Amino acid sequence: MPGNSFGTLFRLTTFGESHGPAIGGVIDGMPAGIKVELDFVQFELDRRKPGQSSITSPRKESDRIEVLSGVWNQTTLGTPIGFVLYNEDQQSADYDELAEVYRPGHADEVWDKKFGIRDYRGGGRSSARETAARVAGGAFAKIVLAKVGISVQAYVHSVKHIEVPVRYDELDLNGVDNNLVRCPHEESAARMQACIEEARDSGDSVGGTIVCVCKGLPVGLGEPVFDKLHAVLAHAMLSINAAQGFELIDGFACTQLNGSENNQRPGGVSGGISNGNDLAFRVAFKPVSTIRKQQQAKNTSGEIVTLEAAGRHDPCVLPRAVPIVEAMAALVLADMQLLQIR
Amino acid sequence: MPGNSFGTLFRLTTFGESHGPAIGGVIDGMPAGIKVELDFVQFELDRRKPGQSSITSPRKESDRIEVLSGVWNQTTLGTPIGFVLYNEDQQSADYDELAEVYRPGHADEVWDKKFGIRDYRGGGRSSARETAARVAGGAFAKIVLAKVGISVQAYVHSVKHIEVPVRYDELDLNGVDNNLVRCPHEESAARMQACIEEARDSGDSVGGTIVCVCKGLPVGLGEPVFDKLHAVLAHAMLSINAAQGFELIDGFACTQLNGSENNQRPGGVSGGISNGNDLAFRVAFKPVSTIRKQQQAKNTSGEIVTLEAAGRHDPCVLPRAVPIVEAMAALVLADMQLLQIR
Amino acid sequence: MPGNSFGTLFRLTTFGESHGPAIGGVIDGMPAGIKVELDFVQFELDRRKPGQSSITSPRKESDRIEVLSGVWNQTTLGTPIGFVLYNEDQQSADYDELAEVYRPGHADEVWDKKFGIRDYRGGGRSSARETAARVAGGAFAKIVLAKVGISVQAYVHSVKHIEVPVRYDELDLNGVDNNLVRCPHEESAARMQACIEEARDSGDSVGGTIVCVCKGLPVGLGEPVFDKLHAVLAHAMLSINAAQGFELIDGFACTQLNGSENNQRPGGVSGGISNGNDLAFRVAFKPVSTIRKQQQAKNTSGEIVTLEAAGRHDPCVLPRAVPIVEAMAALVLADMQLLQIR
Amino acid sequence: MPGNSFGTLFRLTTFGESHGPAIGGVIDGMPAGIKVELDFVQFELDRRKPGQSSITSPRKESDRIEVLSGVWNQTTLGTPIGFVLYNEDQQSADYDELAEVYRPGHADEVWDKKFGIRDYRGGGRSSARETAARVAGGAFAKIVLAKVGISVQAYVHSVKHIEVPVRYDELDLNGVDNNLVRCPHEESAARMQACIEEARDSGDSVGGTIVCVCKGLPVGLGEPVFDKLHAVLAHAMLSINAAQGFELIDGFACTQLNGSENNQRPGGVSGGISNGNDLAFRVAFKPVSTIRKQQQAKNTSGEIVTLEAAGRHDPCVLPRAVPIVEAMAALVLADMQLLQIR
């Protein structure tokens, strides 16, 4: 029942169901006296919102943030930042069928069993809609990090079998938003887009991986022994809907090297502490569970029924997950930065 | 500076440097009235201790646990369990050279910069010796879990290129301790052992992956939204020395499937909550950084020097990491179980 | 910078400045499936709101709660309850003078030094307005407690020299709201009211004490050793604006008894754990610092100036503090109850 | 079941039963590079230990601290400080009678009901013996505070009806240890000693109050809104065995002043934040529950029996509580200091 807060000194708490009145959150630990452009926060939210392109869910949410506290005259007060995003496009009727059916691959059934009750409209609290609050929190974290020269940039590294053929340090990460896929390697991006469109048109979905690069880190972030920097990043990443795996760049591949070879690889952490190098990691996202194709599903009486999902879904979560990955990484780094200042 | 505690209701705090007087810890949240066989705790520690076989470090530590509180007449009191393991084989002189040299791939340099001071003897607090306290804590967690029918079993799935060719559910996991490698697929185990011996003899090291299987989980473990079960497991796993990646079984591979295919895969969590199926995950361990081969290293004056590590090290951390992976998984599950009881 | 959350498993996080857009909060840990009457929550807020009587601040705030999540069809979902109360009566101009003057007895100056910035309008975050969010959170806690038969009732025990002449167990606590003072001893209440009116009319303020009685507690609430039940209650109480002291009933008086006498007193806790008896405690509130009378004050340049406070203030905080004391006590007990269920 | 840790960034976790093998603890968050004289830590422990004078329990415990980690070459490493104090004078047989009798005023019965099991020897974990670990932790906190010029000094202000007739700022607090009572007002001390001796000789016990003075505090300690400095101090103080009340100096008395009068009182906190003045508070301790006089007691079968306590007890806890009060205050301030540095 805890579980809706993240961080120690820079802590985000979120609330809200997909089809309730609003989602929102509280950021505790935002340092005082920092200039905040709410346009920037809104910009980050717009990168995540549905309906932004032909390859995302057509659901319409303006996701307009209302900041209720903690900022006065565009400057932070050192007090908690409360914010809300009212839900707008609540076509709850779309979901009536789901009152008695558990969608395959979703949390519907376990939620019912864990809590004894479930807001079935759009997944309720288990919906990825909750991540909008994370993006808002992450935007404030990015503002904190920018003050000390730390940046966080993610991009789509692979969609299904299509993979960017070069390393992150050979890409211009400022171009991430230049295409719908948020892949800065244009040729790959075009192929990924086609792949996503095909999934969309066939009522199916596809997964992939996102790479995130953190630059400008000082030496020393990360708290031995349990809160190693990459351990907390892994926690953060796998708390994102549909995430299935995390590795420091080449984390799985390096298991096939000798130590004498691997010791040459710089990497961004040593013993769980940032070492001043760029820190890059990769997150695996499964293909979205909600698909338009007919599927067999269990209903609340335990019977198998045929489900043809209505609702308006993403054929591929990756493009919209890029700002979420960045947000969660920024939350981790801002917290570690505050922990380190002492 | 926090960072030495793990868990919310079932919480392990550890202390100790590799070559200080002792390591140890405190388990807070151990339920009262549970029968504890200290022999079992010692058994788990023996699975981790150095010097147990020809393919582990020859360092000699009896790692005998002394329980100082919380257990009376072999029964838990509901009070914190304090325990120590005195360090014995402290050949500190081996490490004098390291006072002024930073070992490649180790935390030596960042530790110096983060804390301004460093116990260079055997890595001090950054040494994997600290994980003995985790194994002790995990043993108590296993005792709690056994009461509700939950088991945690890990094994070596790959060493370098040698990989167990079958899935975890086709293996007899009770045979894990039957060979030195802790791989229950005998043919693979033999090849892995040869590979480790070759690394040992050439003064190098090799990495690999460990699979961990959790059985008997009730529906409902995991706390939305930030403390999803696999998110906390990832945190736990990547806090282990040398761990570089984490995936739910096939987490990276499933990014190449369509949603309609992937929705068939049961898996052990739905939306971050255990669903009653077996839960399996895989952890990547890099080849140990400490090798006997000559390497270039930086010294505390910033010069490049040649380092030929003395000390007594593991050519492959995997066999001894199996009980550590189990311990950390057990700590997560015991905590989640207590959180869920409410 | 943390400090805006209270509780472990039942945790309230609040946000909001007195004259910002809104105040509000998030309750994490509210159990699922509980019937919630929002009218009850509003009722509690109305007991705290300004303008409710001739002896409270005439400031007008409807303090209408808007619940944004966690409740659906009047039933809790087990998800966090986000709520807001928009600020209405923001006569910020009243406070312009305070931009450069530090009010005596207030947090103005230390806030400036701690954060380097301060929302001077009505005290900003340091205003007692923040306690409205606590009362909302406490109302939800009371709902949880009512399910297990626990009640929390406070009343004004003394105003200045006027003290209720009988013990709490000789009073009808259901009559607390029957008079403006919230003192269930009518004769004392009348004298207290006159005393408050005199302070109001002379532009001064008066303090007093509140007694709170918790009934229906099961044996076992309280967590040894640092989170003894009365220790956490003391923490909760002294976090309320203007609170200066806390004692278990007769806590200071019993220091003058012999052990053989004192051991006869039952009391509600034994060794920090509830023992099944009623638990009563007393909280001291200083006379409100904001008064209409002219005072010497320091300004931001360090000069002494004459301050005649505008704004609309309470001559005595006690009557409105009764629901705040109850709310904080309920938050503690709900949390302890959840911790104990395990 | 948590409850054995205190603090956020400077956190003490304790373990140990009165008659188990040892008590001890872990301090997490001790800054690196600080010179530590273990003699000072031992000195503080000696101020608390039993058997130190004719008016304390004759129980013999050398309370010799063994530091197991975190300090190397008398300098802190920034790693957790693990320490133990082995129990020596375990005349467990003294306590056999208590296996089936609940001592009046003690936690015996509630402990049995809360945990279903109880180490009845000397109160087990509920014994004040646990506070030795707090004094050790507090000694480290004092070392941290001394570096920034903060001191914490407590003294016995009253025993039964005998009260020091002057304010804390008129006393020479360096003389606290000059008499057995730890009261720096010699005339009062003599009368208090006689009072305690009378209680001792008649097999009874007496209570009293301790005043604690914190000097050298910077402006800014304390975290709005729930972790106000005096709120956390109250939590700390009431977690000490036998403590029944807490007030900022004159906290209860000031409820009888007008605001215009009270605003003149400087005090050490404003709005819960230290303001640079000395901070003084007072703690009420009940007369010790364990007395030699015959008492009626309940046994585990619910019958009333006559209890004549064996064991070796303090007729008055105050003299030995002085270093405990200081330790808990130092823990709070060290934590707040680290929280503030950010």
Side-chain angles (χ1 to χ4, degrees), chain A residues 1 3 114 161 204-205 220 222-223 225-228 235 239 244 246 248 256 259-260 263 289 295 340, chain B residues 1 3 114 161 204-205 220 222-223 225-228 235 239 244 246 248 256 259-260 263 289 295 340 342:
Chain A
M1 285 196 219
K114 183 178 180 74
H161 299 276
D204 212 326
S205 66
E223 296 298 322
V225 294
F226 291 109
D227 293 338
K228 294 188 166 82
H235 186 154
S239 76
Q244 304 284 300
F246 169 95
L248 287 172
Q256 309 202 352
S260 52
N263 282 356
S289 295
Q295 296 179 93
Q340 175 62 5
Chain B
M1 283 195 220
K114 183 178 180 73
H161 299 276
D204 212 328
S205 67
E223 296 299 321
V225 293
F226 291 109
D227 293 339
K228 295 188 164 82
H235 186 154
S239 77
Q244 304 282 298
F246 170 94
L248 288 172
Q256 308 201 354
S260 53
N263 283 354
S289 295
Q295 297 180 92
Q340 176 62 4
R342 290 166 296 127

Side-chain angles (χ1 to χ4, degrees), chain C residues 106-184:
Chain C
H106 275 279
D108 297 352
E109 184 174 5
V110 293
W111 202 278
D112 245 5
K113 290 197 176 147
K114 182 178 180 72
F115 294 105
I117 187 173
R118 165 177 65 103
D119 179 352
Y120 53 78
R121 299 168 302 165
R125 179 85 181 137
S126 72
S127 163
R129 172 140 190 74
E130 176 267 336
T131 57
R134 303 184 184 205
V135 170
F140 282 89
K142 281 185 173 182
I143 290 168
V144 172
L145 295 173
K147 297 268 293 183
V148 291
I150 300 174
S151 71
V152 177
Q153 288 178 298
Y155 66 91
V156 175
H157 171 74
S158 68
V159 168
K160 230 181 161 187
H161 299 276
I162 307 157
E163 195 167 352
V164 172
V166 298
R167 274 174 61 96
Y168 66 90
D169 45 12
E170 298 174 43
L171 294 166
D172 176 9
L173 299 185
N174 295 318
V176 163
D177 287 343
N178 288 352
N179 56 57
L180 303 187
V181 181
R182 291 206 168 84
C183 170

Side-chain angles (χ1 to χ4, degrees), chain D residues 129-140:
Chain D
R129 172 139 191 74
E130 176 268 336
T131 57
R134 302 184 185 206
V135 170
F140 282 90

Side-chain angles (χ1 to χ4, degrees), chain A residues 15 25-26 67-70 80-84, chain C residues 4-5 11-18 20-27 45 63-68 81-87 125 129-137, chain D residues 225-226:
Chain A
F15 64 83
V26 184
V67 172
L68 302 175
S69 65
I81 292 168
F83 64 87
V84 290
Chain C
N4 295 290
S5 293
R11 174 158 33 188
L12 174 67
T13 300
T14 71
F15 63 82
E17 282 76 53
S18 173
I23 62 168
V26 184
I27 302 158
L45 285 164
D63 278 353
R64 181 106 345 233
I65 191 170
E66 199 178 317
V67 171
L68 302 175
I81 292 168
F83 63 88
V84 289
L85 294 86
Y86 283 90
N87 293 326
R125 179 85 181 137
R129 172 140 190 74
E130 176 267 336
T131 57
R134 303 184 184 205
V135 170
Chain D
V225 293
F226 292 109

Side-chain angles (χ1 to χ4, degrees), chain A residues 248-302:
Chain A
L248 287 172
I249 282 296
D250 299 329
F252 277 92
C254 83
T255 65
Q256 309 202 352
L257 301 178
N258 284 328
S260 52
E261 296 163 317
N262 191 55
N263 282 356
Q264 315 300 323
R265 293 196 322 138
V269 290
S270 300
I273 299 172
S274 65
N275 55 21
N277 295 330
D278 290 352
L279 168 60
F281 59 84
R282 197 161 71 107
V283 188
F285 288 89
K286 68 176 181 179
V288 190
S289 295
T290 309
I291 54 177
R292 232 178 41 246
K293 272 193 176 161
Q294 277 197 358
Q295 296 179 93
Q296 300 303 94
K298 195 154 75 167
N299 69 14
T300 54
S301 313

Side-chain angles (χ1 to χ4, degrees), chain A residues 1-6 8 12-14 104-111 113-115 125-126 130 134 158-161 163 199 204-209 219-228 230-232 234-241 243-252 254-265 269-276 282-291 293 295 328 331 336 339-340 342, chain B residues 1-6 8 12-14 104-111 113-115 125-126 130 134 158-161 163 199 204-209 219-228 230-232 234-241 243-252 254-265 269-276 282-291 293 295 328 331 336 339-340 342:
Chain A
M1 285 196 219
N4 295 288
S5 294
F6 190 82
T8 299
L12 174 68
T13 300
T14 72
H106 275 280
D108 298 353
E109 185 173 5
V110 293
W111 203 278
K113 291 199 176 144
K114 183 178 180 74
F115 294 104
R125 178 84 183 140
S126 72
E130 176 268 335
R134 302 184 183 205
S158 68
V159 168
K160 229 181 163 190
H161 299 276
E163 194 168 352
D204 212 326
S205 66
V206 288
T209 65
V219 177
L221 303 194
E223 296 298 322
V225 294
F226 291 109
D227 293 338
K228 294 188 166 82
H230 57 300
V232 181
H235 186 154
M237 293 308 138
L238 286 172
S239 76
I240 301 173
N241 304 46
Q244 304 284 300
F246 169 95
E247 62 169 0
L248 287 172
I249 282 296
D250 299 329
F252 277 92
C254 83
T255 65
Q256 309 202 352
L257 301 178
N258 284 328
S260 52
E261 296 163 317
N262 191 55
N263 282 356
Q264 315 300 323
R265 293 196 322 138
V269 290
S270 300
I273 299 172
S274 65
N275 55 21
R282 197 161 71 107
V283 188
F285 288 89
K286 68 176 181 179
V288 190
S289 295
T290 309
I291 54 177
K293 272 193 176 161
Q295 296 179 93
M328 292 307 300
L331 287 168
M336 288 293 178
L339 283 165
Q340 175 62 5
R342 290 166 297 127
Chain B
M1 283 195 220
N4 295 290
S5 293
F6 190 82
T8 298
L12 174 67
T13 300
T14 71
H106 275 279
D108 297 353
E109 184 173 7
V110 294
W111 203 278
K113 291 199 176 144
K114 183 178 180 73
F115 294 105
R125 179 80 182 141
S126 73
E130 176 268 335
R134 303 184 184 205
S158 68
V159 168
K160 227 180 165 192
H161 299 276
E163 194 167 351
D204 212 328
S205 67
V206 289
T209 65
V219 178
L221 302 194
E223 296 299 321
V225 293
F226 291 109
D227 293 339
K228 295 188 164 82
H230 56 300
V232 182
H235 186 154
M237 293 306 139
L238 285 173
S239 77
I240 301 174
N241 303 46
Q244 304 282 298
F246 170 94
E247 62 169 359
L248 288 172
I249 282 296
D250 300 328
F252 276 92
C254 84
T255 66
Q256 308 201 354
L257 301 177
N258 284 328
S260 53
E261 296 164 318
N262 191 55
N263 283 354
Q264 315 301 323
R265 292 197 321 138
V269 290
S270 301
I273 299 171
S274 65
N275 56 22
R282 196 161 71 107
V283 188
F285 288 89
K286 68 175 182 180
V288 190
S289 295
T290 309
I291 55 178
K293 272 194 176 161
Q295 297 180 92
M328 291 307 299
L331 287 168
M336 289 292 177
L339 283 165
Q340 176 62 4
R342 290 166 296 127

Side-chain angles (χ1 to χ4, degrees), chain B residues 147-159:
Chain B
K147 297 268 293 181
V148 291
I150 300 175
S151 71
V152 177
Q153 288 177 298
Y155 65 91
V156 175
H157 172 74
S158 68
V159 168

